[in-house]
Amino acid sequence: SLPGSPVTLKILQNWVPRVSHYFDKEHYTYVGHQIVIQESIEHFGAVVWPGALALSQYLESNQEQFNLKDKKVLEIGAGTGLLSIVACILGAHVTATDLPEVLENLSYNISRNTQNLNMHKPEVRKLVWGEGLNEDFPVSTYHYDFILATDVVYHHGALDPLLATMVYFCKPGTVLLWANKFRFSTDYEFLEKVCNIFNTTILAEFPESNVKLLKATVREN
């Protein structure tokens, strides 16, 4: 069993009724900012999943415990960019990454929602899990305070490369925050692997949404 008892939370309806007539825009409010997200129907990564809402809400409510101001934050599988935008509003140096086909919509959402903010300008980059990490993100140059990952585990064949990517970026001093909807046995098997590799704590559970939010850090011998 994992140490600590997680808080039980509910994902709040932080989105605002749509004002626009376009079906593909969602309006959210976090940290006092209205955020407009364009979703894309073609791509899995281009819809806002519950894990992103859960972690956005958690970071907004726990700014003392997880102070992102001036911290280096990497989001893997950033999707529509909602969480990266929230991290940027909270003052982080954000690098939002995803697959090449998702980057156009991701860049659009991030620039649109952060362009007028007096904060660190977020960066959007391609990152295919487990591929070219040493070339694209050499350890000598890139060290992150936080790795954010939401709803990265579902029915897909890239779970081993995903785990390898988490291991690659999670250095001593890095905190991995991972929120996921748990539906399948493969989700729990992945969780077990994470627990075997990292010091892992469940920070919060959102039972209505089947979402768990975990914090993982490197085991230091």
Side-chain angles (χ1 to χ4, degrees):
S1 72
L2 297 170
S5 48
V7 289
T8 303
L9 298 170
K10 186 178 172 183
I11 294 180
L12 304 170
Q13 300 291 314
N14 263 21
W15 51 96
V16 181
R18 4 187 120 173
V19 203
S20 66
H21 298 292
Y22 299 103
F23 66 91
D24 63 345
K25 300 267 197 301
E26 290 282 4
H27 297 248
Y28 301 87
T29 311
Y30 287 101
V31 206
H33 291 260
Q34 178 151 334
I35 300 170
V36 182
I37 294 292
Q38 174 172 287
E39 298 190 331
S40 148
I41 312 307
E42 302 88 71
H43 301 299
F44 232 21
V47 176
V48 176
W49 294 95
L53 300 176
L55 187 46
S56 295
Q57 177 179 319
Y58 193 84
L59 289 172
E60 175 183 47
S61 314
N62 294 275
Q63 294 178 46
E64 283 168 19
Q65 187 185 358
F66 297 107
N67 179 4
L68 299 192
K69 192 161 168 42
D70 301 328
K71 298 291 195 300
K72 291 194 167 58
V73 171
L74 173 73
E75 184 178 5
I76 57 175
T80 59
L82 174 65
L83 179 59
S84 279
I85 293 161
V86 171
C88 180
I89 292 169
L90 289 168
H93 291 273
V94 176
T95 303
T97 68
D98 213 314
L99 297 168
E101 59 269 26
V102 178
L103 293 186
E104 192 183 346
N105 191 54
L106 174 60
S107 301
Y108 173 79
N109 282 332
I110 286 187
S111 61
R112 174 188 177 156
N113 286 285
T114 60
Q115 59 193 6
N116 300 323
L117 298 180
N118 183 20
M119 299 169 187
H120 307 297
K121 198 169 166 43
E123 195 184 357
V124 175
R125 292 186 59 179
K126 177 191 89 163
L127 195 164
V128 182
W129 297 335
E131 289 180 23
L133 300 178
N134 288 311
E135 293 76 27
D136 297 341
F137 297 88
V139 178
S140 51
T141 323
Y142 294 94
H143 182 280
Y144 296 97
D145 300 297
F146 291 92
I147 310 297
L148 308 180
T150 64
D151 289 313
V152 285
V153 176
Y154 48 92
H155 268 327
H156 61 70
L159 291 178
D160 288 340
L162 170 60
L163 190 61
T165 303
M166 289 175 164
V167 168
Y168 178 82
F169 285 111
C170 212
K171 301 283 181 252
T174 302
V175 172
L176 167 65
L177 295 173
W178 167 44
N180 218 92
K181 191 175 172 89
F182 282 79
R183 288 161 281 205
F184 312 113
S185 59
T186 43
D187 300 346
Y188 287 98
E189 285 160 21
F190 187 89
L191 171 60
E192 201 171 315
K193 286 181 182 171
V194 167
C195 291
N196 288 338
I197 294 173
F198 299 105
N199 285 327
T200 312
T201 315
I202 300 184
L203 295 174
E205 298 193 72
F206 299 77
E208 286 173 33
S209 316
N210 293 323
V211 169
K212 294 181 197 302
L213 167 55
L214 297 105
K215 170 190 170 189
T217 53
V218 170
R219 290 211 170 115
E220 307 211 31
N221 299 332

